[in-house]
Amino acid sequence: MIENFDPIDANGYLVEFSEKAYNSLNAIISKGEYSSMFILVDSNSGNLCLEYFLNKLNNPKDFRIIEVKAGEEYKSLSTCDFVWRYLSENAADRKSLLINLGGGVISDLGGFVASTYMRGIDFINIPTTLLSMVDASIGGKLGIDLDNLKNQIGVIANPCLVVIDSHFLKSLPDNEFLSGYAEMLKHGLIKNEKYFESLINHNFLTDKTLIEGYIHKSITIKNNVVKKDQRELGERKLLNFGHTLGHAIESFFLNQKKESKLLHGEAVAAGMILESFISFKVTGLPLKQANYIASSINKLFAKIQFSRQGIISIIDLIKHDKKNIKGKNNFTLLLKAGDATINNTVSSEIMQSAFDMYEAS
């Protein structure tokens, strides 16, 4: 469990750590201002995390549990409809509280449900995966997918509190751990080269608790960006590095019933390699550095095999990217490790060449 880390002051809420965070959580609840309280889990967090979390609450019997199916394919309007109806049928009103206990899907979907139910009720995030700790639960982006297109429906709204407890990582499978690790690598590549180097030179899979200080660092990097630009009009676009192609790759595999599904971080890892090669072509990232980034990430993540038709389909999916403006795509690219630039338009031909370089890397 993370100890002795100062709370991080986000946009009107705190990100708190370990027992101090649970003290703050129980203090909020004990004020008695909520008419009813609910905990949203999926089948994974309900099985692996709920009992531990309930033992941290002073009055766990005051909560109703809402469980949904686990997986990106359930980050959908139909799942929202199920949760909205559960809240309505159990007399939730504008003074109700929803606690989101789970990974990125639960943080995204639960926050979206809370922010739209009766035009907004309070919610608190308890991230249980590395991805949700360093990314999904922080920054206020909430939403769901539309026909497997990533995050097409959503709002920006902040939780009342985020509780970071590394205990949950003990039950996290290695592939899920690495999924969050990809986002941390991104933080280094866009803002801090030394941080990127430090991350790739440690083997956190042997002892996941060793990553605790890095979690605080990654949250700090993301929070510093978001506080300057919560609505993504400028600097927050830096956080999209690896995600333009990464989201397209993730959406493509969600649509392929015969293909194995990719975790978000696995798709983003490939996206960062591809967009590093695009950076070489477009923004002058030295080829030596692009190859170094690719080899470093390839040591951690299995390379994805793309068919020629698959590549064409992935590039075509870019036209649905929510960052597009007036029909033009919008990439965040690297000038060098630790320094990124926003608002870059990339041709299909350059994207195709990046896939060729990825295959050869």
Side-chain angles (χ1 to χ4, degrees), residues 39-199:
I39 300 173
L40 178 66
V41 298
D42 63 22
S43 49
N44 289 332
S45 60
N47 180 44
L48 298 171
C49 307
L50 181 59
E51 182 178 1
Y52 170 87
F53 176 67
L54 290 174
N55 286 332
K56 294 291 184 179
L57 299 176
N58 291 341
N59 297 294
K61 293 182 180 179
D62 292 341
F63 288 84
R64 292 186 178 92
I65 311 301
I66 310 172
E67 183 172 312
V68 298
K69 293 180 180 179
E72 180 74 25
E73 60 267 38
Y74 298 107
K75 197 171 99 174
S76 63
L77 191 59
S78 62
T79 305
C80 290
D81 181 73
F82 169 79
V83 181
W84 283 321
R85 289 181 185 278
Y86 185 97
L87 292 171
S88 180
E89 291 165 3
N90 285 274
D93 57 30
R94 290 182 177 179
K95 297 298 293 181
S96 295
L97 170 69
L98 181 65
I99 294 181
N100 301 315
L101 178 69
V105 171
I106 291 296
S107 295
D108 284 354
L109 183 143
F112 177 70
V113 164
S115 298
T116 50
Y117 182 76
M118 292 193 172
R119 296 179 178 164
I121 63 173
D122 284 356
F123 67 97
I124 291 172
N125 287 336
I126 319 290
T128 61
T129 66
L130 186 58
L131 176 64
S132 56
M133 289 179 188
V134 300
D135 186 55
S137 68
I138 311 296
K141 279 189 177 181
L142 313 167
I144 56 173
D145 302 339
L146 179 64
D147 294 333
N148 292 327
L149 294 173
K150 288 282 294 181
N151 301 324
Q152 291 288 295
I153 302 172
V155 299
I156 293 177
N158 291 324
C160 300
L161 175 71
V162 177
V163 173
I164 305 294
D165 182 354
S166 63
H167 169 86
F168 295 119
L169 299 180
K170 294 179 180 179
S171 61
L172 196 65
D174 286 353
N175 63 334
E176 291 278 2
F177 185 87
L178 286 172
S179 183
Y181 200 60
E183 292 288 349
M184 300 173 75
L185 293 172
K186 178 198 73 178
H187 295 150
L189 286 172
I190 64 169
K191 278 293 183 180
N192 190 325
E193 183 180 6
K194 289 183 179 179
Y195 181 55
F196 174 77
E197 291 287 345
S198 183
L199 284 167

